Amino acid sequence: MEGLTLKPNSKNNIEKYRESVVSRYPDVLTEIYQEKVNIAIWQRTLSNSCLENVSELLTQQPNFKVVVTVTPDEAYQHLAEHLSSFQNQHELCQQVSLLVDMFCTLFELKRVGLRLTALDRPMCPKFHVDKVPCRLVTTFTGSATQWLENNVIDRTKLGAGSIGLPDEESGVYESEEQINQLLTGDVALLKGEGWFDNLDGGLVHRSPAVKVNERRLLLTLDFID
Ligand SMILES: [Fe+2]
Protein backbone atom coordinates (compact mmCIF):
# COMPACT_ATOMS: atom_id res chain seq x y z
CA MET A 1 0.00 0.00 0.00
CA GLU A 2 1.38 3.39 -0.93
CA GLY A 3 2.77 5.44 1.94
CA LEU A 4 2.38 2.60 4.43
CA THR A 5 5.00 2.23 7.17
CA LEU A 6 5.23 -1.08 9.00
CA LYS A 7 7.00 -1.22 12.31
CA PRO A 8 7.50 -4.52 14.15
CA ASN A 9 6.71 -4.17 17.82
CA SER A 10 7.14 -7.51 19.50
CA LYS A 11 10.19 -9.68 19.92
CA ASN A 12 9.45 -12.04 22.78
CA ASN A 13 6.19 -13.75 22.05
CA ILE A 14 5.57 -15.15 18.58
CA GLU A 15 1.90 -15.78 19.29
CA LYS A 16 1.33 -12.20 20.36
CA TYR A 17 3.54 -10.47 17.82
CA ARG A 18 1.98 -7.07 17.27
CA GLU A 19 2.94 -4.09 15.14
CA SER A 20 1.77 -0.60 14.29
CA VAL A 21 0.82 0.66 10.84
CA VAL A 22 0.90 4.33 9.87
CA SER A 23 -0.05 6.07 6.66
CA ARG A 24 -1.19 9.39 5.25
CA TYR A 25 -4.01 7.51 3.54
CA PRO A 26 -7.27 6.45 5.24
CA ASP A 27 -7.27 2.92 3.82
CA VAL A 28 -4.54 2.09 6.34
CA LEU A 29 -7.39 1.63 8.82
CA THR A 30 -8.35 -1.65 7.12
CA GLU A 31 -4.99 -3.07 8.27
CA ILE A 32 -6.48 -3.45 11.75
CA TYR A 33 -7.97 -6.73 10.52
CA GLN A 34 -4.49 -8.23 10.39
CA GLU A 35 -3.91 -10.33 13.48
CA LYS A 36 -0.44 -8.86 13.97
CA VAL A 37 -1.61 -5.22 13.92
CA ASN A 38 -2.86 -3.62 17.13
CA ILE A 39 -2.85 0.04 16.09
CA ALA A 40 -3.60 1.58 12.69
CA ILE A 41 -2.96 5.29 12.34
CA TRP A 42 -4.27 7.53 9.57
CA GLN A 43 -2.19 10.70 9.67
CA ARG A 44 -4.94 13.17 8.87
CA THR A 45 -4.39 16.90 8.64
CA LEU A 46 -7.31 19.02 9.81
CA SER A 47 -8.10 22.15 7.84
CA ASN A 48 -7.35 25.51 9.42
CA SER A 49 -11.05 26.33 9.37
CA CYS A 50 -11.85 23.13 11.28
CA LEU A 51 -9.17 23.92 13.88
CA GLU A 52 -10.51 27.46 14.24
CA ASN A 53 -14.07 26.20 14.62
CA VAL A 54 -13.06 23.69 17.30
CA SER A 55 -11.14 26.36 19.19
CA GLU A 56 -14.14 28.67 19.02
CA LEU A 57 -16.44 25.88 20.20
CA LEU A 58 -14.31 25.18 23.28
CA THR A 59 -14.14 28.89 24.08
CA GLN A 60 -17.92 29.15 23.92
CA GLN A 61 -18.66 25.75 25.49
CA PRO A 62 -15.64 24.65 27.57
CA ASN A 63 -17.57 21.69 28.99
CA PHE A 64 -19.02 20.50 25.71
CA LYS A 65 -19.94 16.81 25.78
CA VAL A 66 -22.01 14.51 23.60
CA VAL A 67 -22.47 10.83 24.38
CA VAL A 68 -24.90 9.19 21.99
CA THR A 69 -25.59 6.03 20.02
CA VAL A 70 -26.06 6.80 16.34
CA THR A 71 -26.33 5.23 12.92
CA PRO A 72 -24.26 6.74 10.11
CA ASP A 73 -27.41 8.33 8.69
CA GLU A 74 -28.27 10.00 12.01
CA ALA A 75 -24.82 11.16 13.07
CA TYR A 76 -24.74 14.55 11.38
CA GLN A 77 -28.22 15.54 12.55
CA HIS A 78 -27.65 14.39 16.15
CA LEU A 79 -24.46 16.38 16.39
CA ALA A 80 -26.02 19.41 14.75
CA GLU A 81 -28.75 19.35 17.41
CA HIS A 82 -26.18 19.16 20.22
CA LEU A 83 -24.31 22.02 18.58
CA SER A 84 -27.41 24.04 17.76
CA SER A 85 -26.16 27.13 19.62
CA PHE A 86 -22.80 27.00 17.82
CA GLN A 87 -22.89 28.81 14.51
CA ASN A 88 -19.87 27.21 12.80
CA GLN A 89 -20.93 23.64 13.43
CA HIS A 90 -21.04 22.31 9.87
CA GLU A 91 -17.43 21.20 9.33
CA LEU A 92 -17.14 19.44 12.70
CA CYS A 93 -20.47 17.66 12.18
CA GLN A 94 -19.29 16.64 8.72
CA GLN A 95 -15.92 15.36 9.94
CA VAL A 96 -17.42 13.34 12.78
CA SER A 97 -20.22 11.85 10.69
CA LEU A 98 -17.67 10.82 8.06
CA LEU A 99 -15.72 8.91 10.71
CA VAL A 100 -18.92 7.27 11.98
CA ASP A 101 -19.65 6.13 8.44
CA MET A 102 -16.10 4.79 7.97
CA PHE A 103 -16.12 2.96 11.33
CA CYS A 104 -19.52 1.34 10.67
CA THR A 105 -18.52 0.34 7.15
CA LEU A 106 -15.19 -1.12 8.27
CA PHE A 107 -16.72 -3.27 11.00
CA GLU A 108 -20.15 -3.82 9.42
CA LEU A 109 -21.92 -2.09 12.29
CA LYS A 110 -25.40 -0.57 12.11
CA ARG A 111 -24.70 1.94 14.86
CA VAL A 112 -21.88 3.17 17.02
CA GLY A 113 -21.28 4.58 20.48
CA LEU A 114 -20.09 8.13 19.92
CA ARG A 115 -18.43 10.26 22.56
CA LEU A 116 -17.25 13.76 21.69
CA THR A 117 -16.05 15.61 24.73
CA ALA A 118 -13.97 18.53 25.91
CA LEU A 119 -11.34 17.52 28.46
CA ASP A 120 -9.12 19.54 30.75
CA ARG A 121 -7.64 16.53 32.59
CA PRO A 122 -6.57 13.01 31.60
CA MET A 123 -9.49 10.56 31.52
CA CYS A 124 -7.25 7.48 31.78
CA PRO A 125 -3.83 8.74 32.95
CA LYS A 126 -2.18 5.32 33.37
CA PHE A 127 -1.20 2.93 30.61
CA HIS A 128 -3.88 0.29 30.10
CA VAL A 129 -5.64 -1.86 27.51
CA ASP A 130 -9.30 -1.47 26.62
CA LYS A 131 -11.63 -4.46 27.05
CA VAL A 132 -13.34 -3.68 23.77
CA PRO A 133 -12.91 -5.14 20.28
CA CYS A 134 -11.63 -1.91 18.77
CA ARG A 135 -11.96 1.82 19.46
CA LEU A 136 -11.48 4.75 17.12
CA VAL A 137 -9.85 7.77 18.73
CA THR A 138 -9.05 11.15 17.31
CA THR A 139 -8.18 14.43 19.01
CA PHE A 140 -9.48 17.54 17.26
CA THR A 141 -7.47 19.88 19.42
CA GLY A 142 -4.93 19.55 22.23
CA SER A 143 -2.51 16.78 23.14
CA ALA A 144 -3.35 13.35 21.73
CA THR A 145 -3.28 9.76 23.01
CA GLN A 146 0.02 8.14 24.05
CA TRP A 147 0.81 4.47 23.33
CA LEU A 148 3.54 1.83 23.57
CA GLU A 149 4.90 -0.66 21.05
CA ASN A 150 4.39 -4.25 22.19
CA ASN A 151 8.05 -5.15 22.55
CA VAL A 152 8.77 -2.54 25.23
CA ILE A 153 5.88 -3.41 27.53
CA ASP A 154 6.03 -5.39 30.75
CA ARG A 155 2.38 -6.37 30.91
CA THR A 156 2.75 -7.66 34.47
CA LYS A 157 3.03 -3.99 35.50
CA LEU A 158 -0.35 -2.99 34.08
CA GLY A 159 -3.41 -2.49 36.30
CA ALA A 160 -3.05 -4.00 39.77
CA GLY A 161 0.46 -5.10 38.74
CA SER A 162 1.60 -1.49 39.04
CA ILE A 163 0.91 -1.76 42.80
CA GLY A 164 -0.34 1.81 42.70
CA LEU A 165 2.83 3.30 41.26
CA PRO A 166 2.70 5.87 38.45
CA ASP A 167 3.80 4.65 35.01
CA GLU A 168 7.24 6.26 35.29
CA GLU A 169 7.92 4.15 38.39
CA SER A 170 5.94 0.95 37.79
CA GLY A 171 8.30 -0.53 35.19
CA VAL A 172 5.59 -0.89 32.51
CA TYR A 173 8.14 0.64 30.11
CA GLU A 174 11.89 1.21 30.40
CA SER A 175 12.41 4.77 29.21
CA GLU A 176 10.40 7.87 28.29
CA GLU A 177 11.65 7.68 24.68
CA GLN A 178 9.58 4.54 24.23
CA ILE A 179 6.35 6.50 24.62
CA ASN A 180 4.68 7.23 21.28
CA GLN A 181 2.09 9.95 20.87
CA LEU A 182 -0.56 10.50 18.22
CA LEU A 183 -0.74 13.94 16.66
CA THR A 184 -3.75 16.22 16.76
CA GLY A 185 -5.93 15.19 13.82
CA ASP A 186 -4.59 11.61 13.57
CA VAL A 187 -7.33 9.00 13.37
CA ALA A 188 -6.33 5.78 15.12
CA LEU A 189 -7.92 2.39 15.57
CA LEU A 190 -6.82 0.88 18.88
CA LYS A 191 -7.35 -2.86 19.00
CA GLY A 192 -8.55 -3.93 22.43
CA GLU A 193 -8.50 -7.24 24.26
CA GLY A 194 -12.14 -7.86 23.34
CA TRP A 195 -10.97 -8.53 19.78
CA PHE A 196 -11.01 -12.20 18.84
CA ASP A 197 -7.98 -14.03 20.29
CA ASN A 198 -6.24 -10.84 21.35
CA LEU A 199 -5.68 -11.42 25.04
CA ASP A 200 -2.29 -9.85 25.93
CA GLY A 201 -2.21 -8.31 22.45
CA GLY A 202 -4.32 -5.19 23.05
CA LEU A 203 -2.82 -1.80 22.36
CA VAL A 204 -1.39 -0.28 25.56
CA HIS A 205 -2.21 3.42 25.74
CA ARG A 206 -3.13 6.31 28.05
CA SER A 207 -4.49 9.84 28.01
CA PRO A 208 -1.79 12.51 27.72
CA ALA A 209 -1.06 14.90 30.55
CA VAL A 210 -2.99 18.10 29.81
CA LYS A 211 -1.00 21.33 29.88
CA VAL A 212 -2.09 24.28 32.00
CA ASN A 213 -5.05 26.03 30.33
CA GLU A 214 -5.13 23.37 27.61
CA ARG A 215 -8.42 21.84 26.61
CA ARG A 216 -8.74 18.83 24.33
CA LEU A 217 -11.62 17.83 22.11
CA LEU A 218 -11.59 14.04 21.92
CA LEU A 219 -13.78 11.79 19.77
CA THR A 220 -14.12 8.08 20.49
CA LEU A 221 -16.24 5.59 18.54
CA ASP A 222 -17.11 2.18 19.95
CA PHE A 223 -18.94 -0.98 19.01
CA ILE A 224 -22.48 -1.17 20.39
CA ASP A 225 -23.99 -4.59 21.12
FE1 LIG B 1 -8.38 3.36 26.87
Side-chain angles (χ1 to χ4, degrees):
M1 186 182 300
E2 191 184 356
L4 182 68
T5 307
L6 286 173
K7 195 171 178 188
N9 67 6
S10 179
K11 62 185 177 190
N12 299 322
N13 186 334
I14 297 300
E15 272 191 309
K16 296 301 179 190
Y17 177 92
R18 295 293 181 265
E19 63 190 27
S20 56
V21 289
V22 184
S23 170
R24 290 183 291 116
Y25 301 96
D27 55 356
V28 70
L29 298 179
T30 65
E31 300 290 321
I32 202 71
Y33 273 102
Q34 292 195 50
E35 184 182 359
K36 64 186 180 183
V37 171
N38 71 359
I39 180 169
I41 303 168
W42 168 27
Q43 295 175 316
R44 179 186 60 157
T45 304
L46 293 167
S47 68
N48 286 338
S49 59
C50 186
L51 292 170
E52 285 165 17
N53 291 343
V54 167
S55 171
E56 190 184 336
L57 170 65
L58 295 191
T59 301
Q60 289 181 19
Q61 301 181 41
N63 298 313
F64 177 78
K65 182 177 179 180
V66 182
V67 180
V68 68
T69 298
V70 286
T71 66
D73 290 343
E74 297 167 343
Y76 185 101
Q77 191 57 36
H78 267 275
L79 271 173
E81 285 166 14
H82 277 92
L83 288 163
S84 57
S85 59
F86 180 58
Q87 197 180 356
N88 294 320
Q89 59 167 252
H90 171 68
E91 195 169 359
L92 183 60
C93 292
Q94 196 176 44
Q95 291 282 340
V96 172
S97 57
L98 174 69
L99 293 175
V100 169
D101 193 38
M102 290 173 70
F103 191 78
C104 286
T105 301
L106 184 61
F107 297 114
E108 299 181 359
L109 303 172
K110 287 190 170 61
R111 56 200 184 127
V112 67
L114 181 159
R115 183 184 179 95
L116 180 63
T117 183
L119 298 166
D120 64 356
R121 67 201 67 180
M123 259 198 330
C124 308
K126 290 184 76 169
F127 278 116
H128 65 283
V129 292
D130 292 332
K131 308 287 185 193
V132 300
C134 190
R135 174 170 290 155
L136 180 148
V137 301
T138 188
T139 303
F140 282 93
T141 190
S143 304
T145 303
Q146 295 180 327
W147 59 279
L148 297 171
E149 301 273 5
N150 245 26
N151 66 326
V152 306
I153 301 163
D154 182 348
R155 285 178 182 264
T156 67
K157 307 298 185 186
L158 292 172
S162 73
I163 54 169
L165 294 171
D167 289 336
E168 57 271 27
E169 295 172 27
S170 71
V172 65
Y173 60 81
E174 286 176 4
S175 73
E176 298 277 320
E177 297 90 71
Q178 294 170 333
I179 300 173
N180 300 294
Q181 186 157 22
L182 298 175
L183 298 175
T184 305
D186 283 354
V187 177
L189 290 175
L190 280 50
K191 193 180 279 181
E193 302 222 331
W195 186 276
F196 174 72
D197 200 21
N198 199 39
L199 199 62
D200 292 333
L203 193 274
V204 174
H205 61 283
R206 70 179 181 188
S207 306
V210 179
K211 298 171 196 139
V212 177
N213 295 327
E214 182 187 36
R215 213 166 269 272
R216 308 172 63 208
L217 183 66
L218 176 71
L219 172 72
T220 60
L221 300 181
D222 276 293
F223 288 41
I224 291 289
D225 293 332

